[in-house]
Amino acid sequence: MPDQPVKKQRDAEATKARILSAAKKEFAKSGLGGARVDVIAERAKANKRMIYHYFGNKEDLFQIVLEDAYVDIRTAEQKLELEHLPAREALEKLVRFTWDYYLKNPEFITLVNSENLHKARHLKKSEVIEVVSRRFVNMVGGLLDRGVAEGVFRKGVDPVQLNITIAAIGYYYLTNRFTGSIVFHRDLMAPEALEERLAFNIDTIMRLVCVAP
Amino acid sequence: MPDQPVKKQRDAEATKARILSAAKKEFAKSGLGGARVDVIAERAKANKRMIYHYFGNKEDLFQIVLEDAYVDIRTAEQKLELEHLPAREALEKLVRFTWDYYLKNPEFITLVNSENLHKARHLKKSEVIEVVSRRFVNMVGGLLDRGVAEGVFRKGVDPVQLNITIAAIGYYYLTNRFTGSIVFHRDLMAPEALEERLAFNIDTIMRLVCVAP
DNA sequence: CACCTAATGCACTAACTAGTTACTTTCTTA
DNA sequence: TAAGAAAGTAACTAGTTAGTGCATTAGGTG
């Protein structure tokens, strides 16, 4: 008898997980419209029938992939525990995290782009998004207030505008890395270029939020 | 007899123009993959055969639409004649222009997104892009130098990073307006919201570039 | 062990889609 | 005005794609 646990020949959870992972890759690569259900099935080493069995249809699958992606980034942000750091350090950590997350999870960006092409009609139907989003905005709002109390941030900065700006300066650079590398005659993805951009982004946000020293 | 000039029954240039215009709309709405050649033909009030006759195939048509879009924004930027303004005013005008252009030409954003999903393989083949892009970067580079000479801008700001940032803070807000409106529980496209964002963007760039007063 | 339910596989279809073939109509010009 | 070039049309093809009907198989449970 093998001492490892006997490998199940049928495993619904594992199959579902493989489908979700394959779908994430395929949707990220080709968008909702360009993604092929057959490709997802093949990459998941599952029969196409399973996709319809577990997830209903292509659009429903996309919605779940998208929700998962949002929950993942919002969960990772909460784990930063910014409350335990001085405000300036916390803000820098958030800018750094956002950049690193986009860099390591390029599917997130492409999924969001695809969803916006479809006017967010899947996110609109989602219920989890409400909850995780609110917690996120509150976190940054709290951080700003604390910075003002510490005397390091200026008053009156809108947490939503700040959130959007932190995301924007990283997101735009990375989502447009292909056209950008052509327009600016520069390999935007070279290691030094990435370092330089992160430093620039931190500087941009600090100048925006901090009081003059 | 009708006193209007006899309507031309055949007009190659007009047909080409109608196809390009329809293609721009359709590609912007659905991306390269999602766009339908039949829809383009119908909207252009042209026979589908004409598209292949004048433009070769779907991808070639996309490339021309994309090139036209880039040439259009770069031409409009040159018309700003920023050289004739004090550096601070010129920079603010550029931020304002970029925002307004994206707002009035949302197809530009969607076309660029689609092109990046395809790793810029059409822009890579383009020859016009090189020329118009270089002129654009030089313009902002010159503006920065002039601001330093005037004593209003700090030294050492990279014109490419600045360009990217100016684009980013407008582009991200607008391209993600659908998901953003859900995540932030706020109608990002309400007139007051748009005004507020523009003001915030100008402030962000000024704090980034200007010397302390 | 026998039954039942959930997991899986195969082969199919109905609709769609980029691109083409073969043709007609209109305009220009020698 | 005749002829050829250019503009335009309709119907078709070959390949693709989301989704399904139905049969089969494995594993847990009484």
Side-chain angles (χ1 to χ4, degrees):
Chain A
M1 281 310 218
D3 54 356
Q4 309 139 318
V6 177
K7 189 187 158 199
K8 270 192 186 177
Q9 294 192 340
R10 298 192 155 190
D11 188 335
E13 289 312 309
T15 305
K16 275 190 212 179
R18 285 202 316 280
I19 290 172
L20 277 177
S21 166
K24 189 176 182 180
K25 275 184 203 155
E26 173 69 1
F27 283 133
K29 190 186 160 205
S30 309
L32 171 57
R36 296 294 160 242
V37 177
D38 292 86
V39 172
I40 295 172
E42 196 181 7
R43 273 217 272 232
K45 281 169 195 159
N47 190 283
K48 183 164 64 151
R49 196 72 191 73
M50 291 294 93
I51 293 175
Y52 292 93
H53 186 240
Y54 289 128
F55 298 99
N57 60 32
K58 190 183 175 184
E59 296 245 339
D60 289 351
L61 178 59
F62 180 81
Q63 176 165 345
I64 291 178
V65 166
L66 185 73
E67 282 180 347
D68 282 1
Y70 267 101
V71 169
D72 187 73
I73 187 173
R74 296 287 105 101
T75 304
E77 277 157 353
Q78 293 300 321
K79 281 192 191 142
L80 293 175
E81 301 190 75
L82 300 181
E83 319 79 51
H84 301 142
L85 286 173
R88 280 184 61 114
E89 286 176 45
L91 182 58
E92 180 174 328
K93 189 170 182 182
L94 178 61
V95 176
R96 213 176 267 280
F97 166 83
T98 305
W99 172 260
D100 287 340
Y101 188 90
Y102 290 161
L103 201 54
K104 286 178 196 152
N105 302 275
E107 330 84 47
F108 178 76
I109 289 182
T110 331
L111 290 171
V112 172
N113 279 346
S114 189
E115 176 66 355
N116 276 288
L117 188 63
H118 294 89
K119 302 188 193 296
R121 68 164 186 264
H122 308 92
L123 215 60
K124 260 181 203 157
K125 294 185 286 181
S126 169
E127 288 164 15
V128 260
I129 298 303
E130 290 274 316
V131 183
V132 292
S133 298
R134 199 181 300 269
R135 197 168 49 186
F136 167 62
V137 175
N138 288 342
M139 184 182 82
V140 178
L143 172 59
L144 273 176
D145 291 343
R146 195 153 53 81
V148 173
E150 285 177 21
V152 293
F153 292 167
R154 63 193 177 86
K155 278 185 205 159
V157 176
D158 178 353
V160 168
Q161 300 293 355
L162 178 62
N163 265 327
I164 292 176
T165 305
I166 292 172
I169 57 184
Y171 188 107
Y172 175 89
Y173 183 98
L174 293 170
T175 192
N176 289 339
R177 60 194 185 278
F178 300 106
T179 55
S181 290
I182 293 168
V183 167
F184 296 114
H185 304 97
R186 199 187 274 195
D187 178 8
L188 295 183
M189 295 305 282
E192 319 84 60
L194 293 174
E195 260 181 62
E196 187 190 326
R197 182 64 192 177
L198 173 57
F200 193 91
N201 285 350
I202 292 170
D203 190 39
T204 301
I205 296 301
M206 288 306 170
R207 286 177 188 273
L208 175 62
V209 174
C210 293
V211 292
Chain B
M1 280 313 205
D3 54 356
Q4 309 139 319
V6 177
K7 190 186 156 200
K8 264 197 188 177
Q9 295 192 340
R10 296 193 157 193
D11 188 335
E13 290 311 310
T15 304
K16 275 191 212 176
R18 285 202 316 278
I19 290 173
L20 278 176
S21 166
K24 189 177 183 180
K25 274 184 204 156
E26 173 69 1
F27 283 132
K29 190 187 159 203
S30 308
L32 171 58
R36 297 294 160 240
V37 177
D38 293 86
V39 172
I40 295 173
E42 195 180 10
R43 272 218 271 232
K45 281 171 196 157
N47 189 282
K48 181 164 64 152
R49 194 68 188 76
M50 291 293 94
I51 293 175
Y52 293 92
H53 186 241
Y54 290 127
F55 298 99
N57 60 32
K58 189 183 175 184
E59 296 243 338
D60 290 350
L61 178 59
F62 181 80
Q63 177 166 345
I64 292 181
V65 166
L66 185 72
E67 282 180 346
D68 282 2
Y70 268 101
V71 169
D72 187 72
I73 187 173
R74 295 288 104 101
T75 305
E77 276 156 356
Q78 292 300 321
K79 281 193 191 142
L80 293 174
E81 301 190 73
L82 300 182
E83 319 81 48
H84 301 141
L85 286 173
R88 279 184 62 113
E89 285 175 44
L91 182 59
E92 180 175 328
K93 190 171 181 181
L94 178 62
V95 176
R96 214 176 268 280
F97 166 82
T98 305
W99 172 261
D100 286 340
Y101 189 90
Y102 290 160
L103 200 54
K104 285 178 198 152
N105 302 275
E107 331 84 48
F108 179 77
I109 289 182
T110 331
L111 290 170
V112 172
N113 279 345
S114 189
E115 176 66 355
N116 276 288
L117 188 65
H118 293 89
K119 303 190 193 295
R121 69 164 186 264
H122 308 91
L123 215 60
K124 261 182 203 156
K125 294 186 287 180
S126 169
E127 289 164 14
V128 260
I129 298 304
E130 290 273 317
V131 182
V132 292
S133 297
R134 199 181 302 268
R135 199 168 47 187
F136 167 61
V137 175
N138 288 343
M139 184 181 83
V140 178
L143 172 60
L144 273 176
D145 291 343
R146 196 153 53 82
V148 173
E150 286 178 20
V152 294
F153 293 168
R154 62 191 179 86
K155 279 185 205 159
V157 176
D158 179 352
V160 168
Q161 300 293 355
L162 178 62
N163 265 327
I164 292 176
T165 305
I166 291 172
I169 55 183
Y171 189 107
Y172 175 89
Y173 183 99
L174 292 170
T175 192
N176 289 340
R177 59 195 186 277
F178 301 106
T179 55
S181 290
I182 293 168
V183 167
F184 297 113
H185 305 96
R186 198 188 275 196
D187 177 8
L188 296 183
M189 295 305 281
E192 320 82 60
L194 294 174
E195 260 181 64
E196 185 190 326
R197 182 64 191 177
L198 173 57
F200 193 92
N201 285 350
I202 293 170
D203 190 39
T204 300
I205 296 301
M206 289 304 171
R207 286 178 189 272
L208 175 62
V209 174
C210 294
V211 293

